[in-house]
Amino acid sequence: SKLKPGDSLSVSGAWQQDERYGGQQFHVLCRSLDDEAMSVKIMKEYLSSGSIKGVGPSTANKIVDALEESDLKILFSSRRDDNVKKTQEDKNISNKLMKYPGFGKKTVATIVNGMLNNYNERQIILGLLAQGFSASQAKMLHGRYGAKSLSIMTENPYLLVEDVQGFGFNTADKIAQKEGISANSEFRIASGILHTLSVGATGDGHC
């Protein structure tokens, strides 16, 4: 889909050696977060995760109830270096939240400032949530891999089999297929061998 002003993006990149010409090239992955990753379900899951100090499941429910989907997307695209127009939009959202029962000025300021201050982390965690990770898994991955978290999905999701509890080979395989990673990838073969050995060892006691 075509990008529009105000769209939220997840951007990552990596240096890659060119075997034929030598030297290195920088490959950039750019994804829009305005579809699945910016659905009300995913945004509510993010708000419930504790990523914003002082905001938990109860407050997340109130925020979703108080705002329209379009307002939520504006809130989720908020960042400190926004222009004057965007700042005014944030003020409008603050006013809407203030009208919701139980939301005082201090609570609303905590919500809005929290969203303004963690834009980069938020984009990564939203992308991971949209991939099917739980909020705790997404936060753990971000803590471990940082800005590389989403690029791992397109390069070697099998790495997560060892790093994420409950994340198995079959799940990694589905992500790899979705991302167009070859079935003959060395990452897939290595992970498949370990998976087979693990299943054999836990199944009948023999590798």
Side-chain angles (χ1 to χ4, degrees):
S1 61
K2 294 182 179 180
L3 297 176
K4 309 180 296 300
D7 281 353
S8 296
L9 300 176
S10 168
V11 181
S12 59
W15 290 103
Q16 180 174 314
Q17 188 73 25
D18 189 299
E19 296 180 357
R20 183 175 180 182
Y21 300 104
Q24 293 184 322
Q25 298 176 338
F26 191 70
H27 296 265
V28 175
L29 171 68
C30 182
R31 291 181 171 180
S32 171
L33 290 180
D34 278 327
D35 297 319
E36 185 178 4
M38 289 292 276
S39 68
V40 173
K41 176 179 179 294
I42 294 296
M43 288 188 284
K44 182 177 178 180
E45 189 173 353
Y46 174 83
L47 290 169
S48 301
S49 70
S51 294
I52 304 298
K53 186 177 180 180
V55 177
S58 177
T59 303
N61 287 332
K62 293 177 181 178
I63 294 172
V64 172
D65 287 343
L67 300 175
E68 300 291 336
E69 182 175 355
S70 58
D71 293 324
L72 283 169
K73 289 186 175 183
I74 291 172
L75 179 64
F76 269 74
S77 63
S78 298
R79 58 193 305 174
R80 276 294 174 199
D81 56 352
D82 278 334
N83 56 31
V84 175
K85 178 182 178 182
K86 187 65 176 60
T87 301
Q88 183 58 49
E89 289 176 335
D90 291 333
K91 289 181 179 179
N92 292 338
I93 290 175
S94 294
N95 290 334
K96 290 182 179 181
L97 289 173
M98 286 284 290
K99 295 178 182 178
Y100 192 86
F103 274 170
K105 185 178 295 186
K106 184 177 180 180
T107 299
V108 171
T110 296
I111 295 168
V112 174
N113 286 329
M115 296 296 280
L116 286 170
N117 289 331
N118 73 347
Y119 177 85
N120 292 329
E121 173 187 329
R122 182 167 70 248
Q123 300 310 296
I124 293 171
I125 292 180
L126 284 171
L128 292 171
L129 290 173
Q131 285 278 4
F133 289 98
S134 67
S136 60
Q137 287 176 330
K139 290 171 72 174
M140 185 276 288
L141 285 171
H142 178 264
R144 183 178 180 86
Y145 299 115
K148 297 180 180 178
S149 300
L150 287 175
S151 63
I152 286 174
M153 290 297 178
T154 62
E155 297 168 8
N156 181 17
Y158 300 100
L159 182 64
L160 306 182
V161 176
E162 299 179 17
D163 290 348
V164 183
Q165 185 176 2
F167 189 92
F169 175 81
N170 291 333
T171 303
D173 225 18
K174 290 178 181 178
I175 293 176
Q177 291 173 18
K178 181 180 178 181
E179 298 294 342
I181 296 175
S182 171
N184 296 320
S185 162
E186 61 183 78
F187 299 128
R188 182 177 189 270
I189 293 172
S191 184
I193 291 173
L194 291 175
H195 172 69
T196 301
L197 292 174
S198 175
V199 170
T202 57
D204 57 12
H206 300 285
C207 291

